[in-house]
Amino acid sequence: MLTKEQKTVLSVIFGITGSVLSVCLYGFAVGGEYLCFKYLLYCVVTAFVMTSLAFLFIFGKKTPKKLFWKELYIVIILVVSALQLLMYQPLNLLTSEDKGKEYEVEITEFYSTRGSTAVYFTDENGIPRKKDITLNFMIMDSGELYPQTGGRMIVKETNGGFNCKHFEIVKVTYEPEVFY
């Protein structure tokens, strides 16, 4: 007979494995972009099922009635859902057989606010794209160009295993002159 601690450890191990398998199942069966309503709903439903099974395995029919356990149950569902959301893009790239292709694009918009920076561009198929980036200001001092609206940059487009495109900024090639 397993103790509650052993059952908890087994539940965590199977939960992480189940989350990875769940993301792969969705990615290979449905695929596409992951920041959509149907994938968010899928994450919440699968997290609910996995958490319910884990609580049933750990506590059996004697489920705790205290408010703490009910709150913990909801927090675990949210954590597992977030874990599945965060795992989608890395697993998409990990399962990719595509080496990617590089091409030059024009920066249509560039936003930099406290805490977030985004570069908007149009890919080679004419689809508007957004790439969130973190700017390393140490690189800026080394003479490299800074992404700005109207500038040009080279992006690397990789089609992942889940048929979700991933863009990586390789280099900024043109920086328009700014007059103050």
Side-chain angles (χ1 to χ4, degrees):
M1 190 70 167
L2 297 173
T3 65
K4 280 189 182 180
E5 291 80 19
Q6 292 171 331
K7 288 181 179 181
T8 303
V9 170
L10 283 175
S11 294
V12 168
I13 292 170
F14 286 125
I16 292 172
T17 305
S19 294
V20 170
L21 292 175
S22 172
V23 170
C24 288
L25 176 71
Y26 180 88
F28 290 126
V30 178
E33 295 297 322
Y34 65 101
L35 294 177
C36 62
F37 179 73
K38 71 179 172 183
Y39 184 63
L40 295 174
L41 183 64
Y42 175 81
C43 289
V44 171
V45 169
T46 56
F48 172 75
V49 169
M50 286 189 284
T51 305
S52 298
L53 290 174
F55 266 60
L56 188 63
F57 176 66
I58 293 169
F59 298 111
K61 293 181 181 178
K62 303 174 191 171
T63 56
K65 304 285 187 229
K66 293 183 180 178
L67 184 61
F68 168 76
W69 290 105
K70 292 177 184 177
E71 290 174 348
L72 181 65
Y73 179 74
I74 292 171
V75 167
I76 291 174
I77 289 173
L78 293 175
V79 167
V80 172
S81 298
L83 181 68
Q84 289 181 357
L85 264 173
L86 293 173
M87 283 191 301
Y88 190 87
Q89 194 63 354
L91 287 173
N92 178 46
L93 290 175
L94 187 67
T95 57
S96 173
E97 294 179 3
D98 184 20
K99 299 294 182 206
K101 58 183 173 183
E102 294 183 3
Y103 53 89
E104 190 172 40
V105 296
E106 182 175 349
I107 301 170
T108 55
E109 292 181 57
F110 176 76
Y111 290 113
S112 183
T113 59
R114 191 178 302 183
S116 69
T117 304
V119 176
Y120 293 86
F121 61 95
T122 304
D123 69 3
E124 68 179 0
N125 297 326
I127 300 171
R129 301 289 182 170
K130 174 187 172 189
K131 175 68 180 162
D132 293 317
I133 60 172
T134 55
L135 292 175
N136 185 349
F137 291 101
M138 300 304 288
I139 293 175
M140 307 307 268
D141 295 335
S142 68
E144 289 193 25
L145 298 177
Y146 187 75
Q148 291 183 14
T149 302
R152 298 193 64 77
M153 65 183 177
I154 297 175
V155 295
K156 181 178 180 182
E157 177 184 326
T158 307
N159 195 20
F162 301 157
N163 200 23
C164 180
K165 294 185 185 218
H166 175 74
F167 293 93
E168 177 183 341
I169 298 173
V170 177
K171 182 180 180 182
V172 177
T173 57
Y174 171 71
E175 183 179 279
E177 292 184 31
V178 179
F179 299 103
Y180 293 103

